[in-house]
Amino acid sequence: MTNERVTFYHAPNSRSGGARALLEELGVDYELKVLNLRKQEQRQSPYVGVNPMGKVPAIWHRGQLVTEQPAVYIYLADLYAEKGLAPGLDDPLRGVYLRWMVFYGSCFEPALVDRSMQREPAAPSTCPYGDWDTMFSTLVAQLERGPYMLGERFSALDVLWGSALRWTTMFKLVPELPVITAYVERIAARPAMQRAAALDAELAAAQAA
Ligand SMILES: N[C@@H](CCC(=O)N[C@@H](CS)C(=O)NCC(=O)O)C(=O)O
């Protein structure tokens, strides 16, 4: 537990929605800094001075910047370890947990972008995620263990994957297999996820006005 408040840079209807849901799951009293992506605020000062990549989510804590979803999730779940959303260093599930956090950024996201652009990926032997079918069937096999990514244990992983699979199925980028839609619904039904979604809807409406 920390006494120093986390500053959270966020934009509604974006990948940072999942990070917000994690903050809600953890019950964190965070300072919210909202960006309007339509107005390109992410590419302007002062935000590019915070994150030169111009992407959200980002958090600022104890004088340091944390970006990239898996890093943000790992950092927050460890910071509030007493909430039990991350297996500890000596827990046998720690490695599995890290594997699926990193799989998200290093395999799923690049595969998704190639797929959405309908472009030919590199040859499987040189492509960081191999090929879509292998990446996807590996993910589905993990989801089939259910009900959560770590089996019986709910963790920060489920906030990440539940949020990501929600928007990627919604945009028809990921096939709506029954195991995926059931998982997405299971995670979305959690009170903290619903709270984050409602807060985001308010923000999006305010930005659209
Ligand atoms: N590698 C980053 C990617 C985050 C990302 O793509 N964020 C999008 C939101 S959906 C963004 O900030 N887009 C703003 C822009 O580039 O215009 C991460 O995993 O956190």
Side-chain angles (χ1 to χ4, degrees), residues 105-156:
S106 59
C107 297
F108 178 76
E109 281 261 11
L112 187 77
V113 172
D114 281 352
R115 190 175 164 86
S116 71
M117 300 294 290
Q118 298 178 323
R119 67 186 179 201
E120 209 48 51
S125 57
T126 57
C127 182
Y129 61 84
D131 61 78
W132 171 271
D133 287 344
T134 307
M135 183 289 297
F136 189 59
S137 62
T138 306
L139 171 62
V140 168
Q142 189 69 19
L143 288 170
E144 277 168 347
R145 294 178 180 200
Y148 302 115
M149 286 294 279
L150 295 181
E152 292 301 320
R153 178 168 177 182
F154 175 78
S155 73

Side-chain angles (χ1 to χ4, degrees), residues 14-15 42-43 54-57 68-69:
S14 82
R15 284 171 174 82
Q42 71 278 21
R43 309 207 177 283
K55 299 280 181 188
V56 289
E68 313 313 316
Q69 293 163 90

